[in-house]
Amino acid sequence: MSGSGHGQTMRITLKVWRQDNPSDKGGFQVVDVPGVSPEMSFLEMLDVVNGRLTESGDRPIVFDHDCREGICGSCGVIINGVAHGPERGTATCQLHMRKFSDGDTIAVEPWRAAAFPVIRDLAVDRSAFDRIVEAGGYISAPTGSAIDANMIPIPKPVADASMDAAQCIGCGACVAACPNSAAQLFTSAKLAHLNLMPQGQPERWARTEAMVETMEQFFGSCTNHGECQDACPKEISVDFIAMMNRDYVKSKRKNRQLLSQSI
Amino acid sequence: MTTTGYLDGKVPTGPIDEKWTSHKFNLKLVNPANKRKYDIIVVGTGLAGASAAASLGELGYNVKVFTFHDSPRRAHSIAAQGGINAAKNYKNDGDSVYRLFYDTVKGGDFRAREGNVYRLAEVSVDIIDQCAAQGVPFAREYSGLLDNRSFGGAQVSRTFYARGQTGQQLLLGAYQALARQVHAGSCTLYNRTEMLDLVVKDGKACGIVVRDLLTGEISRHSAHAVVLATGGYGNVFYLSTNAKGSNTTATWRAHKKGAFFANPCYTQIHPTCIPASDDFQSKLTLMSESLRNDGRIWVPKNPNDTRPAHQIPDEDRDYYLERRYPAFGNLVPRDVASRNSKTQVDEGRGVGPIKNGVYLDFGDSIDRLGRDVIEERYGNLFQMYERITDEDPYKMPMRIYPAVHYTMGGLWVDYNLMSNLPGLYVLGEANFSDHGANRLGASALMQGLADGYFVLPYTIGDYLAGMLGEKPVSTDDPVFAESENEVRDQIRRLLSVNGTRPVDSLYRELGVDIVWEHCGMARNQAGLTQAISDIRSLRDEFWTNVKITDQSESLNTSLEKALRVADFFEMAELMCKDALDREESCGGHFREEYQTEDGEALRNDDRFAYAAAWEWTGESGQQRLNKEELTFEYVKLAQRSYK
Ligand SMILES: Cc1cc2nc3c(=O)[nH]c(=O)nc-3n(C[C@H](O)[C@H](O)[C@H](O)COP(=O)(O)OP(=O)(O)OC[C@H]3O[C@@H](n4cnc5c(N)ncnc54)[C@H](O)[C@@H]3O)c2cc1C
Ligand code: FES
């Protein structure tokens, strides 16, 4: 591979959150970062910073990442106050330094939400999302029990709407962007994915009640700010929240009815 | 070298289309009430691991599931784009189980086991049913029925997909099935927990030693059987399309505990990825293979042509694939397309700021079909390309270059997916089983889910049935203490080196300068010999000069990486050794000394129609070879040709 750089480089000032452990108070560290190529992704810039910190005997910055293609949902930081940074519909790992200018100061912080405690530096614990899914975010279809796939035709618009919701990568930007740290967009996207499908109908009401109530144990309440939709790297629509709210109200009645029938 | 051993894949006898059915009948069963008396460890929550854990949990076994990710849903499988094959023949275009079997054996360049491949094709149809039932939002036609696309050279349309996010949707299906079992209490999830050793007693796998990535705590887990579904080792090249965390540690540590590592030199290089832009590049991004349906690949005839691509007239362009392979043109298989790009770049005709790519041009297709059609077909890929390169592929041809994508090699397993160590099962990309020397597009997702949903749940019972009444080996047993001590020692050693080079600097040199250079798209004896000696000296440097400044027990990403890279340093050596030993070219393994006059791969079936299963003998690079002879009863051995 060739030598270093084939264009202009930039010098930026990084103001990055450092916190040694969950109970540490934490604070910003200011790092001067010369030699940033506009071709670098944001995380590659952090890689470069980490290399330099290590060489100078400092501890590298801890952050979560994996696919670096905007699909695994591991990455995610607040960049200058905005979840995943300035480019719409783009996860942190897909953001490139050409979106910034020479001389910029860039503030980087972890997701801020009570349900996502900071583990270290920029890494947070998002396992509350797994608890919501475990509560009912599935269709019970034990291995081996399925009928031929084409026995369940699904109108294309329904399948497409379901897929729009199913695209959620579970990064938590919606929670981080919400003034109330609510998880309505995440939960409603999973509910819509499953509740729209014919296969999802038998468990629809039980699923809705269980997932919404588990969500409420961990997260704040939605007051319709809509910041979640703007922060979502997959641009998932808040319309799914409206659908969840309707389903939840119905689920209370339906689940009682189902219960009384079974007695 | 010590004498060669021979291995039996234990493929059942009988006609190919009856093997699996009769085998299932002959396998011993565990009575439903007894299943809860068995503990099973599953490491990995990608397609293979999550589907296996969920299915075993549903059957009633006690399952412990481990992943180094923060959530099972983040496994590397999530990134698969294109689709999953299945012999449904919904298109009525002549597909069948037999045709999928045939295509896979041939595509694998006759280095896979026929019996396994047939079973894979057979259960492929059940996978689609299973996933649809779980609510995977596959693409549909207006009729409401499932849609298919064609893929990777196949002459039938058998690939099911969910937009460009098939892996994501299939993994979410498996993850949700697993979440249901976690909720039901049959599966216990250990996230952010990394397996660092396999524990073996009396030759049988009996547990693992893990590190809690949040607290640094090392702990022991025992079980009646251990299942590894830990993915491939493509990141030995440093730059690849794999997720950054993908690594070989689980399979490598198992290898050092006695599990045979098979065909490590079979690695797949995907022809259409975005070229590296500079030395800071951390990974490579795949552009779907489907682009080659409408894009034409070319380089300027004059290597010093400085004109922008669109100003270079047709007579000054070399459409080298169309020129060399008039019949297949831009649609030659992955290995052929990749090698040809390499030749162009090596000979100085590369394009782009650092001359490390070739053009993939949509100009003609846009003129012929209109921008709308191209946008509908590839819109999301074009957008991804623009985001990364800041160039508009509707106006400028894309620049592409091959990148490491998939590893066909892996731990050796028999027909039951059990390694040579009883009690150790290996699934998904981590095993070597079904793709021979080259994998066809859309077949990895199929294999991972076949292994996890439809093969392992049957075959593991056969092993467990014989252990009824036995307790798992106690974690107080000396074998566990020994493993734990080794793990602790290694961590201590790494943290105490206190040298001058960060892990990534050594890792990049290993992957890019040595392994990619000498054991990448083209290999030869001199280069491989050089590579082995370079790997050894760099490994010595790693152990004496690596610098890890973070000494803490909590989430310590540099230590995690150093532990993984330490294993890549040994794995890389075996890969080169295997490549050196295999004096033929086949599929993804191209030895320059063994090619036809036209520069195509030249197999040597008389000498090399076997799987090479390497056995650890105590020291890196000193593995002993075990051969599993491959016989082809159904698909006739033939030279591939794409002219
Ligand atoms: C960009 C890209 C696109 C692709 N597209 C396609 C496609 O369209 N069609 C297709 O068929 N194939 C495709 N593939 C290939 C396919 O995605 C993979 O081969 C497949 O998903 C591997 O699945 P797996 O379950 O075996 O492993 P993985 O998904 O890699 O999962 C590995 C799991 O093991 C865990 N793990 C690993 N080591 C440890 C350890 N030591 N301790 C604890 N846990 C551990 C990880 O946390 C993870 O959960 C693509 C691959 C890439 C890179
Ligand atoms: S690293 Fe996977 S979404 Fe960003």
Side-chain angles (χ1 to χ4, degrees):
Chain A
M1 207 171 295
S2 92
S4 60
H6 45 83
Q8 291 282 320
T9 63
M10 314 185 286
R11 180 176 206 120
I12 57 156
T13 304
L14 198 64
K15 251 183 77 185
V16 57
W17 187 260
R18 304 305 301 265
Q19 179 175 339
D20 211 32
N21 56 58
S23 49
D24 179 24
K25 211 165 103 263
F28 283 102
Q29 177 184 10
V30 178
V31 191
D32 174 34
V33 194
V36 175
S37 158
E39 311 299 321
M40 281 178 184
S41 73
F42 193 83
L43 298 185
E44 283 166 351
M45 182 273 292
L46 289 182
D47 291 341
V48 168
V49 171
N50 275 346
R52 293 181 192 164
L53 288 174
T54 304
E55 275 163 7
S56 66
D58 236 335
R59 169 172 90 70
I61 304 159
V62 172
F63 61 93
D64 273 323
H65 67 101
D66 199 28
C67 73
R68 299 202 175 191
E69 288 188 11
I71 191 74
C72 74
S74 297
C75 68
V77 289
I78 306 271
I79 301 170
N80 289 336
V82 182
H84 286 307
E87 195 174 359
R88 242 191 117 102
T90 304
T92 303
C93 59
Q94 292 286 83
L95 176 69
H96 280 70
M97 293 311 292
R98 65 178 80 90
K99 298 286 161 191
F100 300 91
S101 313
D102 190 34
D104 277 0
T105 294
I106 306 175
V108 188
E109 292 170 80
W111 288 165
R112 302 284 187 195
F116 291 163
V118 173
I119 296 168
R120 210 172 182 211
D121 296 341
L122 304 174
V124 300
D125 179 356
R126 288 167 287 197
S127 37
F129 274 3
D130 288 327
R131 303 293 93 77
I132 296 176
V133 174
E134 285 158 14
Y138 42 75
I139 289 170
S140 300
T143 306
S145 63
I147 53 169
D148 185 273
N150 262 350
M151 299 281 283
I152 329 167
I154 303 181
K156 190 173 183 319
V158 173
D160 284 347
S162 173
M163 180 66 200
D164 287 343
Q167 287 191 78
C168 166
I169 61 173
C171 63
C174 47
V175 173
C178 174
N180 309 321
S181 303
Q184 252 75 4
L185 193 62
F186 170 81
T187 311
S188 69
K190 184 76 302 163
L191 279 167
H193 161 209
L194 301 172
N195 286 357
L196 281 165
M197 295 233 170
Q199 307 91 303
Q201 298 315 307
E203 293 167 305
R204 178 173 187 164
W205 311 111
R207 170 188 308 121
T208 306
E209 190 173 339
M211 285 179 72
V212 169
E213 290 173 7
T214 307
M215 169 187 82
E216 285 169 348
Q217 285 168 26
F218 291 95
F219 294 92
S221 329
C222 171
T223 44
N224 299 317
H225 284 266
E227 305 272 352
C228 50
Q229 175 179 287
D230 294 345
C232 176
K234 296 293 153 193
E235 302 182 87
I236 289 173
S237 162
V238 287
D239 293 350
F240 293 125
I241 300 182
M243 182 181 156
M244 174 174 80
N245 291 341
R246 282 196 304 273
D247 268 14
Y248 180 63
V249 173
K250 258 195 190 163
S251 76
K252 289 305 230 187
R253 188 165 45 81
K254 294 267 189 188
N255 289 338
R256 269 200 307 277
Q257 274 171 3
L258 288 171
L259 197 65
S260 60
Q261 276 165 16
S262 67
I263 291 170
Chain B
M1 197 189 302
T2 42
T3 51
T4 305
Y6 290 88
L7 274 168
D8 178 6
K10 302 201 187 106
V11 178
T13 53
I16 192 116
D17 54 344
E18 289 170 20
K19 285 180 195 294
W20 179 230
T21 308
S22 59
H23 187 62
K24 279 193 289 189
F25 180 73
N26 292 327
L27 289 167
K28 280 180 251 153
L29 295 174
V30 177
N31 155 339
N34 283 335
K35 290 207 171 77
R36 66 188 160 73
K37 298 179 186 156
Y38 290 98
D39 298 339
I40 303 174
I41 285 171
V42 177
V43 188
T45 62
L47 286 178
S51 59
S55 306
L56 295 172
E58 287 163 5
L59 286 171
Y61 294 111
N62 275 318
V63 187
K64 285 181 168 185
V65 195
F66 296 82
T67 168
F68 66 73
H69 285 96
D70 69 323
S71 165
R73 64 181 291 157
R74 309 224 195 270
H76 165 59
S77 294
I78 201 98
Q81 302 169 352
I84 176 166
N85 288 331
K88 279 286 197 186
N89 194 30
Y90 281 160
K91 294 288 158 199
N92 194 29
D93 59 359
D95 200 10
S96 62
V97 166
Y98 199 88
R99 188 177 295 281
L100 176 53
F101 155 68
Y102 178 91
D103 287 352
T104 307
V105 171
K106 183 174 169 222
D109 219 356
F110 303 92
R111 291 295 175 261
R113 195 190 280 152
E114 277 190 337
N116 281 56
V117 178
Y118 193 91
R119 175 179 63 192
L120 173 66
E122 209 176 332
V123 303
S124 68
V125 295
D126 301 329
I127 296 172
I128 301 305
D129 298 341
Q130 177 62 32
C131 296
Q134 289 170 344
V136 169
F138 284 122
R140 304 250 160 196
E141 298 180 340
Y142 281 98
S143 59
L145 301 177
L146 291 163
D147 193 18
N148 289 119
R149 53 167 63 145
S150 40
F151 217 80
Q155 289 162 303
V156 293
S157 230
R158 63 159 77 100
T159 305
F160 294 78
Y161 65 102
R163 293 196 189 144
Q165 289 123 288
T166 316
Q168 180 196 28
Q169 294 310 316
L170 295 173
L171 182 60
L172 291 180
Y175 155 67
Q176 288 163 198
L178 170 60
R180 187 167 84 94
Q181 293 310 305
V182 171
H183 194 61
S186 60
C187 293
T188 310
L189 180 65
Y190 296 81
N191 65 332
R192 291 206 198 251
T193 305
E194 183 147 355
M195 166 186 162
L196 292 180
D197 205 10
L198 177 76
V199 184
V200 178
K201 186 173 161 95
D202 302 332
K204 289 183 181 175
C206 64
I208 59 176
V209 169
V210 303
R211 178 170 179 272
D212 180 330
L213 300 181
L214 295 185
T215 62
E217 188 195 334
I218 310 283
S219 60
R220 311 168 180 184
H221 297 266
S222 73
H224 292 90
V226 176
V227 179
L228 298 187
T230 50
Y233 52 88
N235 275 348
V236 66
F237 291 92
Y238 185 80
L239 287 180
S240 83
T241 62
N242 287 12
K244 291 291 285 176
S246 300
N247 70 84
T248 191
T249 288
T251 46
W252 191 254
R253 303 285 171 102
H255 171 58
K256 291 175 80 169
K257 284 297 171 76
F260 296 168
F261 210 112
N263 301 334
C265 79
Y266 292 163
T267 52
Q268 182 167 77
I269 317 278
H270 197 291
T272 52
C273 302
I274 303 178
S277 62
D278 217 324
D279 287 350
F280 51 73
Q281 188 89 22
S282 62
K283 76 158 287 191
L284 297 167
T285 303
L286 178 79
M287 291 276 106
S288 169
E289 176 153 18
S290 58
L291 291 169
R292 285 198 283 146
N293 283 307
D294 288 305
R296 297 180 69 193
I297 295 178
W298 63 276
V299 291
K301 283 186 182 158
N302 173 3
N304 300 318
D305 204 324
T306 52
R307 289 172 289 179
H310 63 276
Q311 285 174 18
I312 301 180
D314 244 14
E315 62 269 22
D316 293 340
R317 300 175 174 192
D318 181 11
Y319 294 94
Y320 56 87
L321 288 179
E322 297 172 23
R323 174 170 58 78
R324 292 194 60 192
Y325 309 94
F328 277 71
N330 294 297
L331 288 175
V332 291
R334 288 177 175 178
D335 49 340
V336 179
S338 295
R339 275 199 301 280
N340 276 277
S341 312
K342 176 176 158 58
T343 310
Q344 298 303 326
V345 169
D346 287 353
E347 291 175 359
R349 284 185 295 276
V351 302
I354 51 176
K355 294 176 89 60
N356 63 344
V358 299
Y359 287 130
L360 176 63
D361 197 335
F362 294 86
D364 286 349
S365 297
I366 292 174
D367 290 347
R368 184 164 40 91
L369 304 165
R371 184 185 156 123
D372 292 355
V373 173
I374 295 299
E375 190 165 348
E376 192 186 297
R377 287 187 191 164
Y378 311 112
N380 61 336
L381 292 169
F382 277 40
Q383 196 189 9
M384 176 143 90
Y385 181 85
E386 185 169 1
R387 201 172 276 158
I388 293 174
T389 62
D390 207 26
E391 289 171 4
D392 177 359
Y394 294 102
K395 299 199 180 103
M396 291 268 290
M398 278 186 184
R399 288 176 292 114
I400 54 157
Y401 197 64
V404 177
H405 178 60
Y406 181 85
T407 53
M408 282 74 69
L411 291 183
W412 184 88
V413 288
D414 65 13
Y415 188 74
N416 286 334
L417 303 182
M418 186 155 85
S419 85
N420 57 299
L421 295 180
L424 178 67
Y425 290 81
V426 192
L427 319 185
E429 195 174 338
N431 73 24
F432 90 117
S433 65
D434 298 351
H435 307 293
N438 178 52
R439 174 177 71 76
L440 291 182
S443 288
L445 303 182
M446 169 172 73
Q447 182 226 330
L449 292 180
D451 290 358
Y453 284 135
F454 295 110
V455 180
L456 181 81
Y458 289 92
T459 58
I460 202 169
D462 189 55
Y463 175 73
L464 295 174
M467 301 173 89
L468 188 62
E470 281 177 38
K471 290 244 168 304
V473 175
S474 158
T475 53
D476 295 329
D477 193 282
V479 286
F480 275 94
E482 211 174 288
S483 266
E484 183 180 325
N485 287 340
E486 283 166 25
V487 165
R488 286 186 188 281
D489 256 12
Q490 199 198 19
I491 293 173
R492 214 173 297 128
R493 266 178 75 199
L494 277 171
L495 290 178
S496 62
V497 175
N498 197 18
T500 62
R501 291 181 69 181
V503 181
D504 263 344
S505 139
L506 291 151
Y507 180 20
R508 178 186 287 276
E509 186 174 337
L510 169 74
V512 178
D513 299 344
I514 306 177
V515 186
W516 174 247
E517 187 60 29
H518 299 297
C519 200
M521 265 184 283
R523 299 138 181 208
N524 61 50
Q525 188 186 19
L528 290 165
T529 313
Q530 181 67 44
I532 290 175
S533 113
D534 291 353
I535 290 167
R536 288 186 184 155
S537 29
L538 194 64
R539 186 168 64 222
D540 289 343
E541 180 176 354
F542 175 80
W543 281 103
T544 50
N545 196 25
V546 70
K547 180 166 189 162
I548 303 169
T549 50
D550 191 347
Q551 299 279 325
S552 77
E553 293 282 276
S554 57
L555 191 59
N556 182 340
T557 44
S558 356
L559 173 62
E560 282 166 33
K561 198 186 291 169
L563 285 162
R564 295 171 188 168
V565 172
D567 292 328
F568 278 135
F569 265 108
E570 292 180 354
M571 202 272 136
E573 185 175 0
L574 180 63
M575 212 171 122
C576 295
K577 183 184 167 80
D578 185 43
L580 193 58
D581 210 60
R582 188 167 283 278
E583 294 173 334
E584 65 162 351
S585 295
C586 57
H589 170 63
F590 189 77
R591 280 284 298 265
E592 288 168 341
E593 303 94 317
Y594 309 100
Q595 48 182 308
T596 64
E597 271 173 25
D598 303 327
E600 306 304 342
L602 188 61
R603 280 197 332 260
N604 183 339
D605 295 326
D606 291 339
R607 286 186 59 207
F608 292 101
Y610 62 77
W614 297 95
E615 177 178 357
W616 181 260
T617 57
E619 202 185 326
S620 183
Q622 300 303 313
Q623 281 90 342
R624 168 176 182 264
L625 180 62
N626 295 277
K627 292 179 181 177
E628 180 195 340
E629 300 292 346
L630 299 170
T631 49
F632 295 89
E633 287 178 60
Y634 293 86
V635 188
K636 278 221 176 64
L637 284 160
Q639 182 77 38
R640 299 189 306 168
S641 167
Y642 301 95
K643 293 273 169 189

